[in-house]
Structure formats: C-alpha cells, structure tokens
Amino acid sequence: MGFLDFFTGNQPPLIGDALDDVKVMLDTGRDLFAASSGRLLENEILDTDLSAQEAVIRKREQSVRRAVLEHLNIDPKRELVLCVKLLTVAQEAERIGYLGRTMEKTATLATAPRIGAIVDEIRELRTRTLGQFDAVRDCFIEGDIEKADVAQVEQEAIAEALREVFARLAESELSANKAVVCTVGAYSVGRVGEHLASIARCVTEPLHRIRSGS
C-alpha cells in the first residue's frame, strides 16, 4: 500500500482515529497561534484560555501515540513507515502549541504597544503563516502531494522574508525591549512555519528527509 492509497483508501480504525486527532491538533494549534500572535503583534486583548488549548493538543498527541502503538501491536509490519510519520506529525503539531504559548509569554515582557514598520512586516508574515494551517492540515489528511508542494513553496518564501527581517532587527536602533519582543515574535512565527512545512513533507518525502528543509 502506497502513501496515497493509505490516506484515500480504507484505513484501519485505529489509524483513522489518529488522523482525526491530528486534525484536531492542527485546528487547535491554529486557534492558539492566532490568539497568541494577535496578543503579541496586534496588541489584542487575550480572551482565550491558551492553557486549555495547549492541554487539548497534548492530550491528542498522547491519543495518536496510543492509537499507533495499539495498531502496531495488532499488526507490527503493516504501514510501519506511515505510522512513524503519524507520530512525527503529532510531535510537530505539539511544538506549535508550545510556540504559541511562547508568543503569549513574550507579550507580557513588552513595555509598550507593538507598532512600527518592522512589526508590520512580522504581522504580515504571521498572517501568511496562519493561512498555512488549513492548507497543511488538508494536504496531510488527504495525502495530496500537489497541495503539500504548494505549502512548502509558500513556507520557503515566508522563511526568506523572515531572514531579511532578522537582518534588519540586528542593525536596528530599537530599544532593547522592543528588539527582544520583535525577535522572539519573528522567531516563533518562523518556527511554527517550519513545523507546518515538516508536516507537509510527510506527504512528499521519505521518512529520513522530512526535516531536510528545516
């Protein structure tokens, strides 16, 4: 059974459950990222319980691991590589939750509203990254290689733009506080994007190359 056959055909019940868990992890991670980055970069009031969202992500990751283990106990040779990819995706999605919380905590360090040209650039890249969540979720759940390729191209463009942002931050005359807040914010956006790209590569690449672009 090939990768596309696995995701478009009849899946073992336990693996179907694990795919549902992955979907919930990515949808929750998207909402957490939207809220925490809005707080950090848009100066929005945080009215979302990020701790509860992060708990959902972690619980679902445990569920994925349990389902894969039970499936392999039943038939240890069936879809072994695909099961490992599922575990990889769950780990990548869990890290997105962690980075969302990092952005929230960074916002508490800010001593002034986040405004200015450099913040506007980071906001725009955050918005593009936010748009990647649904695209990456769909390409993985559907096993769609074309969608996965598109997601990776977009993420590389975002990563290149972020490299330019970091270069300007290094040469800027921002206050120490604002420089730290902007740098951590930009770094978090970039890392979230890299985790999403790794999930997309689970569709297009062999197991040993999933993180080759990170």
Side-chain angles (χ1 to χ4, degrees), residues 4-206:
L4 291 179
D5 294 331
F6 178 77
F7 284 95
T8 59
N10 293 323
Q11 299 145 356
L14 287 168
I15 298 304
D17 291 343
L19 285 169
D20 288 340
D21 286 327
V22 166
K23 182 179 182 298
V24 172
M25 290 181 74
L26 288 171
D27 287 346
T28 305
R30 176 198 60 213
D31 294 343
L32 195 160
F33 178 70
S36 61
S37 60
R39 175 73 186 97
L40 178 62
L41 300 172
E42 302 282 358
N43 304 287
E44 294 177 353
I45 296 174
L46 186 63
D47 57 4
T48 302
D49 188 344
L50 301 189
S51 295
Q53 289 181 324
E54 188 177 27
V56 168
I57 292 172
R58 288 179 174 172
K59 183 177 180 180
R60 292 287 183 155
E61 183 194 20
Q62 293 171 1
S63 181
V64 170
R65 294 182 182 281
R66 183 166 55 250
V68 168
L69 179 61
E70 291 177 7
H71 171 73
L72 292 176
N73 279 334
I74 295 170
D75 190 349
K77 295 183 180 180
R78 187 181 180 192
E79 298 106 11
L80 179 59
V81 171
L82 297 171
C83 286
V84 176
K85 284 189 173 184
L86 266 173
L87 295 177
T88 300
V89 169
Q91 183 178 28
E92 301 288 349
E94 188 277 333
R95 290 290 82 192
I96 289 171
Y98 171 82
L99 287 161
R101 294 304 304 276
T102 297
M103 297 186 84
E104 173 207 13
K105 293 171 183 176
T106 301
T108 66
L109 300 177
T111 57
R114 276 68 72 204
I115 57 175
I118 197 74
V119 176
D120 290 341
E121 291 184 59
I122 300 170
R123 284 176 185 158
E124 193 265 335
L125 296 169
R126 180 281 310 264
T127 299
R128 289 172 63 182
T129 301
L130 187 58
Q132 288 279 80
F133 275 86
D134 289 353
V136 167
R137 177 201 62 204
D138 292 346
C139 81
F140 182 76
I141 297 300
E142 298 167 11
D144 191 312
I145 292 176
E146 183 175 346
K147 289 182 179 179
D149 283 335
V150 170
Q152 291 174 63
V153 169
E154 169 66 357
Q155 179 49 40
E156 179 51 39
I158 294 171
E160 177 60 32
L162 279 168
R163 285 190 282 271
E164 295 177 4
V165 167
F166 287 127
R168 285 196 290 279
L169 281 169
E171 298 174 353
S172 73
E173 296 182 358
L174 298 174
S175 68
N177 181 266
K178 188 171 183 178
V180 167
V181 169
C182 288
T183 299
V184 175
Y187 172 81
S188 299
V189 169
R191 287 301 298 161
V192 166
E194 287 173 6
H195 288 303
L196 290 171
S198 290
I199 294 172
R201 281 193 291 273
C202 284
V203 180
T204 62
E205 302 294 336

